[in-house]
Amino acid sequence: MKERLNEIEKEALKEIEETQDRKSLESLRIRYLGRKGLLTQILRGLKDLPEEERPSIGQKANQLKTRLSSFLQKRLDEIQKREEVSVGEELFDVTLPGKQFPVGYKHPLTQVEEEIVEIFRGMGFQVEEGPEIETEYYNFEALNTPKDHPARDLQDTFYLDLPPDEKGEYLLRTHTSPVQIRVMERQKPPLRIIAPGSCYRADAFDASHSPYFSQVEGLYVDEGVTFGELKGTLEVFAQEMFGRGVKVRFTPHYFPFTEPSAELAISCVICQGQGCRTCGGAGWLELLGCGMVHPAVFEKVGYDPEKYTGYAFGMGIERIAMIKYRINDIRLFYENDMRFLEQF
Ligand code: PHE
């Protein structure tokens, strides 16, 4: 064993001496002193030696380890010195790491939007977009929400100070549902689309409301589309988004443009349905609105409601993100505080 150590010493010193660059120096270090290196193996194998040999071999191996380390360091210093190139008067080390530029990340809402879109794309939905400046016709009228309809009061709308055209006053869309109308006007069934985008409501700006927010709309129209398919699709979505263990619940609701209408809730992601502060003790978190497209909507776009059926859904991206990341104040998304944004 002593001889083996002497051999290693001779060989190592020679190799270190002959090395011309950092990379091969590093591989030498690994070869001798690394976790699986020659010396490390010998030190590990001490326990298998006869008892009387252990102290002397151990001592020698340790001395050699120290010797090799300092030799490696010395050689590294020499190589480094050589690499310092002089440019004019200035001496600088070309091997120093370059300037670090901070790397940006996507906004958490963008990340969640992309995640939602990817889940539905995987189920055959195509992405569509529509304008944020809409007319009364697309935002309300064509969605079976006439002027005197009570649902119109529910949505506090930002109207624009522009002369109205034949489609009514200009406004900032209060939901992404007008994209349903625009797509159906220019396409015949079957169609299966999702439409992400910004929406505006003249709401308070507090922990749970914002005058600006974003939604993802979904629409599927074909012959023989059923409520059962709506349920199945949204259940898959909820489980992809929040985990396989999540349960879904559909309860009756009202929207002018769907009949029947429903609200989808998921079992609370914090307490798994036991009841906690986040779900207000209910065990369920409301997630989105949905339903079967109202025949009156099909008539507006010239689809035969006797021939076609379809389902639609709409969800707030902020709400999904708040549940997913357990965020309790919607304003955090818009304040651009790096301490918040850097966590995503
Ligand atoms: N547009 C509705 C809202 O903003 C959501 C919805 C979309 C409901 C599609 C049913 C069908 O609340």
Side-chain angles (χ1 to χ4, degrees):
M1 190 49 84
K2 274 217 177 83
E3 273 152 39
R4 176 83 184 109
L5 283 173
N6 284 334
E7 260 170 42
I8 291 180
E9 172 160 20
K10 239 171 73 194
E11 201 185 297
L13 293 186
K14 182 161 170 265
E15 281 178 334
I16 293 172
E17 195 62 54
E18 285 171 358
T19 305
Q20 298 302 329
D21 62 280
R22 288 160 187 261
K23 229 168 113 190
S24 22
L25 198 64
E26 176 61 11
S27 42
L28 280 181
R29 192 189 62 74
I30 292 168
R31 177 141 151 244
Y32 290 102
L33 305 178
R35 233 161 23 93
K36 293 189 179 144
L38 288 173
L39 259 181
T40 319
Q41 271 173 19
I42 289 178
L43 281 165
R44 282 220 188 103
L46 278 180
K47 58 179 182 338
D48 302 325
L49 290 179
E51 194 143 358
E52 63 279 9
E53 277 185 37
R54 274 183 225 165
S56 63
I57 298 289
Q59 197 190 15
K60 201 165 159 61
N62 272 317
Q63 279 169 354
L64 181 54
K65 193 171 161 185
T66 323
R67 180 124 197 257
L68 288 188
S69 303
S70 66
F71 233 77
L72 281 163
Q73 187 57 51
K74 208 177 117 216
R75 186 70 192 136
L76 182 65
D77 291 344
E78 286 168 9
I79 292 175
Q80 248 164 8
K81 233 198 210 114
R82 240 196 11 225
E83 281 174 353
E84 280 174 9
V85 178
S86 79
V87 174
E89 288 296 288
E90 240 176 313
L91 262 190
F92 71 96
D93 179 355
V94 292
T95 65
L96 280 176
K99 251 188 210 144
Q100 294 269 339
F101 289 96
V103 179
Y105 299 92
K106 284 178 183 167
H107 191 278
L109 288 176
T110 308
Q111 290 185 32
V112 171
E113 177 186 311
E114 287 179 356
E115 213 175 312
I116 298 169
V117 166
E118 271 321 299
I119 294 172
F120 283 106
R121 266 160 46 105
M123 295 193 275
F125 287 75
Q126 282 183 2
V127 179
E128 291 282 349
E129 277 180 18
E132 290 169 32
I133 295 179
E134 268 296 3
T135 53
E136 284 178 296
Y137 179 78
Y138 287 104
N139 199 77
F140 295 122
E141 203 80 31
L143 288 160
N144 199 30
T145 318
K147 257 218 157 65
D148 55 354
H149 199 288
R152 248 175 170 174
D153 302 328
L154 293 177
Q155 294 178 329
D156 279 341
T157 310
F158 286 116
Y159 285 91
L160 298 185
D161 203 2
L162 290 171
D165 74 0
E166 76 274 15
K167 304 261 181 185
E169 299 272 354
Y170 284 101
L171 48 81
L172 296 179
R173 68 177 176 193
T174 58
H175 51 180
T176 43
S177 300
V179 186
Q180 290 186 34
I181 306 299
R182 291 186 175 273
V183 172
M184 287 192 282
E185 274 184 350
R186 59 169 191 257
Q187 250 172 274
K188 291 271 152 277
L191 54 90
R192 199 194 312 234
I193 61 111
I194 44 166
S198 305
C199 306
Y200 305 82
R201 284 181 205 177
D203 255 336
F205 193 37
D206 60 29
S208 47
H209 299 87
S210 162
Y212 166 88
F213 58 99
S214 38
Q215 288 189 335
V216 176
E217 190 80 10
L219 174 69
Y220 176 30
V221 184
D222 200 351
E223 290 179 41
V225 176
T226 66
F227 196 88
E229 284 167 82
L230 169 63
K231 284 180 72 178
T233 303
L234 291 180
E235 181 168 6
V236 168
F237 163 72
Q239 295 187 338
E240 292 272 317
M241 196 73 201
F242 297 105
R244 298 270 165 232
V246 145
K247 290 210 257 314
V248 296
R249 182 188 72 176
F250 289 83
T251 45
H253 205 79
Y254 173 77
F255 298 104
F257 36 91
T258 47
E259 181 59 36
S261 303
E263 190 169 67
L264 167 70
I266 55 166
S267 51
C268 180
V269 292
I270 312 271
C271 65
Q272 274 80 42
Q274 298 303 303
C276 66
R277 255 197 330 194
T278 302
C279 58
W284 296 95
L285 297 168
E286 282 148 17
L287 206 62
L288 56 85
C290 58
M292 301 304 289
V293 180
H294 198 293
V297 174
F298 281 154
E299 268 160 17
K300 289 274 191 217
V301 297
Y303 282 11
D304 179 359
E306 294 297 325
K307 189 167 177 209
Y308 296 111
T309 53
Y311 64 69
F313 55 84
M315 66 186 87
I317 298 176
E318 284 80 355
R319 178 147 183 87
I320 306 277
M322 286 169 83
I323 294 174
K324 192 170 170 82
Y325 295 115
R326 321 232 195 298
I327 295 162
N328 58 14
D329 194 324
I330 197 171
R331 290 169 292 196
L332 287 164
F333 290 124
Y334 313 115
E335 283 166 351
N336 287 334
D337 185 331
M338 290 303 283
R339 289 168 304 179
F340 172 73
L341 295 177
E342 275 172 350
Q343 295 178 49
F344 296 92

